[in-house]
Amino acid sequence: MTVHIGAKKGDIAEAVLLPGDPLRAKYIAENFLENAVCYNEVRGMLGFTGLYKGQRVSVQGTGMGIPSAGIYIHELINEFGATDLVRVGTCGAIQNDVKVRDVIVAQAACTDSAINRNAYPGIDYAPIGSFELIKKAYEVGTDQGLHIRVGNVFSSDVFYSDGLDTLKLLGKLGVLAVEMETAVLYTLAAKFGVRGLSILTVSDHVMTGEQTTSQERQTTFNQMIEVALDTVLK
Ligand code: ADE
């Protein structure tokens, strides 16, 4: 058991899907995994382990934002032996040619968080995803007929920001979308020598205000989960 995850060693698979919302973890376990067992209820941050196509896979809620996600990711890697960690989340598009319902595979993540600035003074560390998992997710998603975008995302500490200037600037630098967790996943995966990947469905367009309906969100979410699960299959 760790401070935040009430599981025993061995309860959690090497491959772990990471939705922000713990109820999404429950939904994934109930709809995609066989024989799923709940191993964590601490703080309501549900975690489950079950079978997908015969392979053990876990799914663990992380909460929102870098500090919360960082706690779960750190403990999953260091205390429970997770080696393949795949965030499955949503993001807001900041490019004209990125559309709601698109699926983004995050190649890298820039951030306004000070985590790495504080830890590695004088260096602008570039958190990047596992090339192996990025390549596989792209191929799996494309085979499933999805419009997969691969590129840079922005992991922001602020959901309700004061202005769009920063996002416009990042858009000009080719950043595809804004979300709130990928930078810490990629940093911790690199730090501890494991594989990290972030797959995101575009739930809203920050510049146009367009949003997906809840039905559309559910459909693209299900497609993304299938991509994530097939990506972590050995
Ligand atoms: N996740 C989904 N949409 C988002 C947005 N607009 N900003 C930050 N995180 C998000």
Side-chain angles (χ1 to χ4, degrees), residues 172-233:
K172 284 187 186 159
L173 291 169
V175 177
L176 301 177
V178 54
E179 53 84 69
M180 303 184 77
E181 292 85 13
T182 299
V184 72
L185 170 60
Y186 287 1
T187 299
L188 292 178
K191 182 173 174 184
F192 297 120
V194 299
R195 287 178 288 275
L197 176 69
S198 195
I199 312 180
L200 308 160
T201 59
V202 178
S203 59
D204 54 287
H205 201 296
V206 178
M207 303 307 171
T208 65
E210 190 186 356
Q211 296 202 341
T212 42
T213 64
S214 57
Q215 183 53 49
E216 285 170 336
R217 268 200 295 279
Q218 197 60 54
T219 306
T220 38
F221 181 79
N222 288 349
Q223 291 167 332
M224 170 177 67
I225 297 307
E226 281 178 13
V227 173
L229 286 168
D230 282 328
T231 297
V232 297
L233 277 186

Side-chain angles (χ1 to χ4, degrees), residues 41-161:
E41 291 185 346
V42 177
R43 290 175 184 251
M45 203 57 79
L46 303 173
F48 300 82
T49 298
L51 292 176
Y52 179 72
K53 297 186 179 172
Q55 180 182 307
R56 282 179 90 226
V57 176
S58 296
V59 49
Q60 171 66 56
T62 65
M64 286 178 283
I66 282 173
S68 180
I71 288 170
Y72 294 98
I73 292 163
H74 183 105
E75 293 181 10
L76 286 167
I77 297 170
N78 291 293
E79 307 298 332
F80 296 101
T83 57
D84 294 84
L85 297 96
V86 180
R87 165 163 157 69
V88 283
T90 59
C91 62
I94 58 175
Q95 292 283 344
N96 288 338
D97 68 345
V98 176
K99 308 292 180 202
V100 294
R101 294 182 298 279
D102 278 356
V103 175
I104 293 179
V105 170
Q107 197 171 6
C110 36
T111 185
D112 56 5
S113 157
I115 41 161
N116 289 339
R117 246 178 286 147
N118 289 342
Y120 316 115
I123 293 172
D124 289 332
Y125 176 71
I128 60 167
S130 152
F131 176 71
E132 201 181 329
L133 293 184
I134 290 170
K135 181 171 177 283
K136 193 156 172 204
Y138 178 77
E139 288 168 355
V140 166
T142 305
D143 282 352
Q144 290 182 14
L146 297 180
H147 185 221
I148 304 273
R149 301 290 307 258
V150 182
N152 209 350
V153 301
F154 175 48
S155 301
S156 178
D157 270 350
V158 186
F159 185 87
Y160 295 109
S161 69

